[in-house]
Structure formats: structure tokens, C-alpha cells
Amino acid sequence: MPKPLPLALRGLRFFYRFLSPVLPGLGVRLLWRVFRPRRRQLRAGPVQFLAGAELFFFASTGALTGVSLRLQGYRWGNGPRTVLLVHGWEGSPTDFRDLVPALLHRGYTVVAFDMPAHGRSEGLETNLVEMRQALLDYTRSAGLPFAIIAHSMGGIAAALLLTDSSTSVEKFAFVASPLSAQASFDVAFTPLRVPPAIRRRFYQRLARHLRQPVESIALPPANQLHAGHLLGVYDATDEQVTFDAVQRYLAANPAIAQYEVRGVGHTRILRHPPVVQRLIGFLAAEVEAGA
């Protein structure tokens, strides 16, 4: 049974069902505000997890704004191979707190950072174009990692990074990633009952803001990704992705290995022991084969 909407979202649904036809401009502005990232308030456990990391900082200059932001990063371990963890929208490096110890046990260096407008990084707003830019600026300052493991919308940002031939990695795994920005918005619009006309106006405004068609912000085909090995991990019951579309994408891209679980959840999938084991095996396979 679907979870009931919070009171604020029920109010939005009432607006879009009954009032948005006569107030379309307000309808678009409300969506614009709703989809600004909100900084997560971390509990004691995640705060303690970050306290065990070595902090670092780097600058990222917005691809759209030209404004330089100071982004905060976290590093664990000192192994010869680095794994970069990329969180999703309104996410945090703490989402990977069960994966990091497993990676350290395997001898990797693990790095992550708070995306713009997330965690302790600067910024008030962000989007997938700026998230990709942040990843690009990180690799320019620190070098390319051996592997990238990305969650949710972070998977799209990382995939867009890897369409550039100068940013090749050996392994790329994306976990619970929507196929596109528009697909993610459409999933969120459905319970709010946002009318098609408002959606079109929202996407038109978003395209102007991003300076590119919204449909171009998507997971590219496997042959456009500069990674030696690819893995897609999904919960078939995840309400934040359209799994039928994901299956079609993976079927059309057989170079992407796939791993499926059920009943875990969009964020908890990163803490699910079989998923952690699958990700570790995905990274370790090449190391063991080349040993």
C-alpha cells in the first residue's frame, strides 16, 4: 500500500488538482521551490562516521553560474587504489557508511564529498549539471579514481562525467539511479497530480536554466561511458525509479552487469549486506584476475 503523503504535500496535491489550471505560473514556481535540495540533519551515528575521516577541501566553479564554491571532502584509508563514492540528491557520504569499512578491509582508499548545496559544502542550489562539474573539478584536483560507485541521481552525474574521454575509470557502479532527470521528476509529480501543462512549463523553464534540453540529462548508453566495467544495482520495488524502464535500458546495454534485490528501499539498498558484497566483488574481480 502506498505511504500517505505528508500534510504539506497533500496541500500541494490539492493545489495542482483544483487551482493550478487558473494559476499555472504559480504552479511552476512552487515546483521550483519544492525541488531545491534540503540539507540533511545527520544523527549521531552518521556524524561519528564522518568524524573518522580525514577532511579535505577543493573548489568547484559552477558550469552555469561561474561562482566558485568550497566543497568538503572525506578520505578514509591509504591504499593504492581509490574508490570515489558519489551521493545522490539530498544525500550524504554517510549513506555509504556500511560500504566504506568493507572497502577499507579490501585495501582501498575511499573518498567522497558533499555535493554543492549539500552537507558542509557551500551553495544554496544545485542541479545535475553542477553536480557533474563538481565531480570534474574533483578529478582535476585529485586525479582519476580507480572506481566510482554512485547512488541515485549521483549515478546520472557520474555517468555524464564519464562521457568525457578524459575521465575514464576502470569500474563504474550505479545504484538505484533513475534513468534521467525527467524520469525522476515524473515519479515525484505523479502523487502530486501535477497536470501535463504545468509539467511542460516546468521542463521548459528547467531547459532554459540548464542551457540544454532536459532529456539530455540522462544515463547514456554503455558505449558512451568511459569505464572498463559497468554495474547497475536496483531494488525492483523501489518507488523512486521506474523499474520497467530500467529493465529495458539494461537489456539494451548488455555490457552493463546487473544485480537486483527486492523490498530493500531506495537508500537502504546501500546498507543491504548482499548489495555491499556484490559491489565489493565487482571491484575485486579485476584486482584478483590481474594479481
Side-chain angles (χ1 to χ4, degrees):
M1 178 180 297
K3 297 179 182 178
L5 286 175
L7 181 60
L9 294 185
R10 290 203 299 270
L12 279 173
R13 183 169 66 179
F14 177 87
F15 171 85
Y16 285 113
R17 186 175 182 183
F18 297 107
L19 300 178
S20 64
V22 295
L23 295 169
L26 178 58
V28 173
R29 290 196 297 273
L30 285 174
L31 288 180
W32 204 259
R33 292 181 63 85
V34 166
F35 291 107
R36 292 178 65 177
R38 293 162 293 182
R39 294 181 190 267
R40 181 188 300 182
Q41 297 297 314
L42 298 181
R43 297 182 179 181
V47 169
Q48 184 177 7
F49 167 73
L50 292 180
E54 175 189 351
L55 301 184
F56 67 91
F57 303 90
F58 68 99
S60 180
T61 300
L64 302 175
T65 65
V67 175
S68 180
L69 300 176
R70 187 172 187 255
L71 305 187
Q72 178 159 315
Y74 310 87
R75 183 183 293 107
W76 299 264
N78 57 1
R81 294 176 182 244
T82 297
V83 179
L84 171 62
L85 306 178
V86 183
H87 70 72
W89 191 260
E90 296 185 352
S92 164
T94 64
D95 295 335
F96 298 94
R97 60 189 178 276
D98 283 23
L99 179 59
V100 169
L103 291 170
L104 294 177
H105 181 71
R106 279 282 186 169
Y108 296 105
T109 293
V110 184
V111 295
F113 62 87
D114 293 323
M115 282 290 180
H118 287 74
R120 297 173 182 172
S121 289
E122 294 181 340
L124 297 176
E125 296 186 8
T126 195
N127 52 63
L128 282 168
V129 173
E130 302 295 19
M131 290 169 70
R132 176 199 177 276
Q133 184 65 40
L135 289 168
L136 179 61
D137 289 335
Y138 166 77
T139 61
R140 285 172 173 170
S141 65
L144 290 169
F146 162 69
I148 296 176
I149 298 176
H151 177 241
S152 190
M153 298 286 273
I156 301 178
L160 294 173
L161 172 77
L162 294 175
T163 60
D164 186 335
S165 60
S166 67
T167 54
S168 175
V169 299
E170 182 61 29
K171 304 282 183 108
F172 173 45
F174 50 94
V175 182
S177 293
L179 292 184
S180 67
Q182 186 165 338
S184 182
F185 281 124
D186 283 341
V187 167
F189 289 164
T190 298
L192 295 178
R193 299 179 184 174
V194 179
I198 300 296
R199 298 188 189 201
R200 286 194 298 271
R201 291 182 60 154
F202 175 83
Y203 289 132
Q204 289 168 356
R205 175 175 175 177
L206 185 59
R208 292 193 299 271
H209 180 69
L210 299 178
R211 304 175 193 168
Q212 60 186 289
V214 176
E215 54 268 23
S216 68
I217 313 294
L219 284 177
N223 61 9
Q224 294 181 19
L225 296 172
H226 294 277
H229 303 273
L230 301 163
L231 172 66
V233 179
Y234 285 91
D235 179 346
T237 61
D238 187 344
E239 295 180 352
Q240 296 190 41
V241 299
T242 306
F243 189 62
D244 288 346
V246 166
Q247 288 181 306
R248 292 192 294 273
Y249 169 81
L250 293 175
N253 292 275
I256 304 175
Q258 45 189 297
Y259 184 68
E260 177 185 327
V261 295
R262 299 185 68 88
V264 179
H266 186 70
T267 300
R268 286 189 297 113
I269 191 171
L270 290 172
R271 306 189 66 191
H272 189 48
V275 170
V276 171
Q277 293 169 11
R278 181 65 183 93
L279 291 170
I280 293 297
F282 172 66
L283 298 185
E286 189 275 342
V287 176
E288 293 170 353

